[in-house]
Amino acid sequence: MNTPSSIEPSHYPNVMADLRATFESGLTRDLAWRDRQLAALNDLLEDHEDRIVEALGQDLAKPKQEVFLGELALLYSEIKYARKHLKKWAKPRGVRTPLAGQPGKSFIVPEPVGVVLIIGAWNYPIQLILGPLIPAMAAGNCALLKPSEVAPKTAHLVATLLPAYLDQRAYRVVEGGVEETTALLAERFDHIFYTGGSAVGRVVMAAAAKHLTPVTLELGGKSPCVVDDSADLKSAARRIIWGKCLNAGQTCIAPDYVLVTPKQKAPLIQMLGSELDRMYGKDRLSSSDYCKIINERHFDRLAAYLDEGEIAIGGETDRTTLKIAPTVLTDLKPDAECMREEIFGPILPVIEVANVEAAIDWIKAREKPLAAYLFTGNSSHEKKFLGAISTGNVCINDVLMFMLVPDLPFGGVGTSGMGQYHGRAGFDQLSHLKAVMRRGRFPEIWIRFAPYSALKTRLLKIFG
Ligand code: NAD
């Protein structure tokens, strides 16, 4: 790559050596310094909102409001929250010392882990590369960022802007694709934070295993959405359409498909249609509020799904603009690939299930999702759902909105990922929680020392 901000793979060892030297110098341990860097990141975003909107417009035709909603708002709020709580999070956390450890004090000391590699995905290419950077900075680490080459304008903008705002000794950006990422993964990092599909997640984890480097994997999967007999259909339809059409469905936590009870199926589909009309008009391919598909490969993959069921709503496509209209599919073919793979586009299969119990069985028979949604007015259904479904995140009577709550950790479980971030969860994820005990000298409790005796053993059982 011959861009001014690019770094050739042959220079990665030097970049790593520089970052490691910075980390060892102690620069990033200073809390005031960390706070200034976080403030500078905030300035970068505020000063260049227009350029960010422009780059995301070129990569994804992302409307300005979606740039704010899906990318910037979360970053501003995470930076603010981290700056507000940094001192508290970084303080030693006292824990109880049992009698056998007296006199003594015990505490957990969060310490930075070192140099963190952050690999971002293309669908929210600003949020997913800078979002993990915030806890990495707050926790006092150095970081090397590798934005997704699949959203090239945004990746290049990140690589151009970051050095102008953040301390280059501690934070660097590398542009590139598979070749560059493979070369990076050969280096020894202290943590790797990867966002993307699970196939590459396995590659990242295998590379990390060579150095026993811990990983956070923010992956995807099929996030189900259940609508039961007691759900308020109008609100369910509106919210499902919003969550599915945001970024043209290219959202890791978008409702992937709907499981609906027989009584609700036809009215739900009708209301999904009305909400689409209200939000995007009749000519949805021309709506400036609606994103395009990222590239031809994904467009062709999604277009092929349109033949896998009956089209109840939508189905229009335009390969020249890479747009696919929001589409509701029913009567899916038994071998439909869109019911085996994550859809990651604006296609919504609607499948009939007898009741909430049947929906739970359906979900439990599949891989653990990143998010699960239930629309219901019945608290016992909610309780059953929460008790039975293992998933990264849940929203009852809405979709996606848990992202707004800084105290809720975000991350998957099973094949949808490992590790969590946002708020303090991110700070802890990218810190080592060092366990420390400080002993007093007097009085010495003698029961642990030889010579051993039956009495000492008995006392150990009581006080140990
Ligand atoms: P992608 O193609 O942008 O790939 C992700 C990153 O992996 C990129 O930086 C890319 O350069 C790198 N990469 C690709 N192939 C590689 C290889 N062979 N070796 C090393 N690195 C490689 O993104 P994607 O995988 O298409 O992303 C879509 C997936 O990501 C979906 O499954 C989605 O659900 C998931 N996702 C998850 C989250 C989350 O927060 N959990 C967020 C967004 C996307």
Side-chain angles (χ1 to χ4, degrees):
M1 285 199 141
N2 293 317
T3 53
S5 57
S6 72
I7 302 169
E8 295 297 328
S10 58
H11 292 135
Y12 294 167
N14 300 338
V15 173
M16 283 303 292
D18 291 349
L19 290 172
R20 201 161 287 290
T22 302
F23 182 70
E24 294 305 334
S25 76
L27 177 76
T28 61
R29 288 183 180 257
D30 180 49
L31 290 185
W33 183 87
R34 292 186 212 176
D35 183 62
R36 283 198 300 279
Q37 293 298 309
L38 286 165
L41 183 61
N42 198 76
D43 290 345
L44 178 160
L45 296 171
E46 277 181 357
D47 294 351
H48 296 286
E49 277 191 3
D50 287 349
R51 288 176 76 183
I52 292 170
V53 169
E54 193 189 330
L56 288 164
Q58 289 169 328
D59 283 333
L60 282 149
K62 220 176 252 217
K64 191 171 179 176
Q65 187 168 330
E66 280 197 25
V67 173
F68 186 74
L69 200 65
E71 310 254 7
L72 297 177
L74 186 82
L75 294 174
Y76 286 134
S77 122
E78 281 281 299
I79 293 171
K80 194 170 165 196
Y81 200 69
R83 292 187 68 197
K84 184 169 171 204
H85 293 93
L86 182 52
K87 278 194 188 134
K88 190 169 151 218
W89 291 343
K91 258 195 196 145
R93 304 166 193 175
V95 295
R96 199 186 136 266
T97 304
L99 194 60
Q102 298 296 344
K105 282 205 180 328
S106 308
F107 39 93
I108 295 165
V109 182
E111 61 175 16
V113 293
V115 183
V116 178
L117 171 63
I118 300 172
I119 304 175
W122 54 262
N123 56 331
Y124 291 85
I126 288 283
Q127 192 233 110
L128 295 174
I129 196 75
L130 300 182
L133 176 63
I134 296 164
M137 293 166 85
N141 299 297
C142 292
L144 183 55
L145 278 64
K146 212 300 291 172
S148 176
E149 76 285 8
V150 181
K153 301 287 183 208
T154 317
H156 190 58
L157 186 64
V158 170
T160 309
L161 292 180
L162 218 85
Y165 284 80
L166 300 191
D167 192 327
Q168 277 282 278
R169 291 171 296 173
Y171 312 114
R172 302 293 294 271
V173 184
V174 163
E175 286 181 85
V178 175
E179 183 196 333
E180 288 79 2
T181 316
T182 306
L184 277 178
L185 286 170
E187 298 294 326
R188 180 179 185 146
F189 289 90
D190 300 293
H191 194 105
I192 299 177
F193 195 113
Y194 166 81
T195 304
S198 53
V200 177
R202 288 185 176 88
V203 172
V204 169
M205 199 166 169
K210 291 209 179 89
H211 299 294
L212 286 180
T213 298
V215 290
T216 303
L217 300 179
E218 297 287 344
L219 310 177
K222 293 182 79 62
S223 299
C225 178
V226 179
V227 179
D228 78 6
D229 271 351
S230 61
D232 180 289
L233 283 189
K234 194 162 193 251
S235 143
R238 179 170 300 160
R239 292 172 177 193
I240 292 169
I241 287 300
W242 172 76
K244 187 69 178 182
C245 293
L246 196 73
N247 210 29
Q250 301 163 110
T251 302
C252 57
I253 48 174
D256 189 271
Y257 59 93
V258 171
L259 299 175
V260 62
T261 49
K263 178 182 120 188
Q264 304 277 59
K265 186 177 169 193
L268 176 70
I269 291 174
Q270 196 236 321
M271 284 186 206
L272 291 171
S274 320
E275 290 303 328
L276 279 169
D277 285 346
R278 210 174 54 83
M279 289 189 217
Y280 301 104
K282 293 277 182 206
D283 181 8
R284 289 156 202 159
L285 291 183
S286 306
S287 169
S288 58
D289 292 336
Y290 186 62
C291 290
K292 71 181 178 76
I293 304 304
I294 185 76
N295 56 29
E296 280 86 3
R297 184 170 72 81
H298 282 284
F299 179 93
D300 293 341
R301 176 182 66 80
L302 289 163
Y305 290 165
L306 298 175
D307 296 330
E308 295 190 329
E310 291 298 316
I311 295 177
I313 302 171
E316 305 84 6
T317 65
D318 182 346
R319 200 167 188 276
T320 54
T321 58
L322 292 179
K323 286 205 171 182
I324 296 181
T327 298
V328 173
L329 283 185
T330 57
D331 304 304
L332 278 292
K333 291 180 184 165
D335 60 344
E337 188 160 318
C338 70
M339 283 315 296
R340 280 184 276 123
E341 299 293 327
E342 178 182 358
I343 293 173
F344 218 53
I347 298 168
L348 185 70
V350 174
I351 294 158
E352 194 176 298
V353 288
N355 48 35
V356 166
E357 289 77 13
I360 290 173
D361 289 345
W362 172 289
I363 297 166
K364 283 183 66 129
R366 288 160 176 79
E367 296 289 359
K368 293 178 181 179
L370 182 57
Y373 304 114
L374 170 66
F375 286 87
T376 186
N378 182 324
S379 58
S380 79
H381 287 179
E382 175 182 331
K383 203 168 160 202
K384 250 186 213 162
F385 190 81
L386 287 177
I389 305 292
S390 179
T391 173
N393 310 267
V394 176
C395 202
I396 305 290
N397 288 327
D398 209 334
V399 296
L400 275 60
M401 294 298 282
F402 48 69
M403 294 293 273
L404 294 182
V405 186
D407 282 325
L408 281 180
F410 176 75
V413 56
T415 53
S416 58
M418 61 182 72
Q420 296 175 310
Y421 72 131
H422 293 177
R424 177 167 152 175
F427 180 91
D428 284 357
Q429 181 77 26
L430 295 175
S431 299
H432 167 58
L433 301 182
K434 185 158 68 183
V436 180
M437 183 187 200
R438 185 190 304 116
R439 294 294 321 276
R441 272 187 299 143
F442 186 79
E444 184 73 276
I445 298 177
W446 47 272
I447 54 174
R448 69 181 156 133
F449 299 113
Y452 301 139
S453 68
L455 174 64
K456 284 183 175 177
T457 307
R458 242 191 353 264
L459 289 171
L460 268 177
K461 276 187 181 161
I462 296 168
F463 298 113

